[in-house]
Amino acid sequence: LIAWIIWLLSQHDDVREKLLTEIQNPKIWANSSTPTYDQLQQCSYLDAVLKEALRLYPPAGSARYT
């Protein structure tokens, strides 16, 4: 998933800039340490980027064979 997100962000500068703006927001990321659960819950755009990458490139384990 991380590789797909990096590739997608390299293709979409506007999304990358908006995501960086959210991540660098001092109200969400108070310090440079590992983010807390509550801080991650405030990252709505990060959540949207993760969900879109999963929608475009679902995990192989979800493939159903009949």
Side-chain angles (χ1 to χ4, degrees), residues 28-36 39-40:
I28 294 175
W29 300 77
N31 53 33
S32 62
S33 66
T34 303
T36 65
Q39 288 171 316
L40 289 175

Side-chain angles (χ1 to χ4, degrees), residues 11-41:
Q11 304 297 313
H12 302 279
D13 293 336
D14 55 332
V15 175
R16 184 179 68 241
E17 290 301 321
K18 190 170 180 179
L19 184 60
L20 282 173
T21 300
E22 180 179 74
I23 290 172
Q24 294 171 347
N25 184 349
K27 293 179 182 177
I28 294 175
W29 300 77
N31 53 33
S32 62
S33 66
T34 303
T36 65
Y37 178 79
D38 292 329
Q39 288 171 316
L40 289 175
Q41 292 301 307

Side-chain angles (χ1 to χ4, degrees), residues 1 3-4 6-7 10 13 19 26 30 32 41 43-47 49 51-52 54 57 60 62 65:
L1 177 62
W4 283 120
I6 291 171
W7 183 80
S10 74
D13 293 336
L19 184 60
S32 62
Q41 292 301 307
C43 297
S44 58
Y45 199 71
L46 175 61
D47 186 50
V49 168
K51 287 180 180 178
E52 182 64 9
L54 284 169
Y57 304 102
S62 67
Y65 296 102

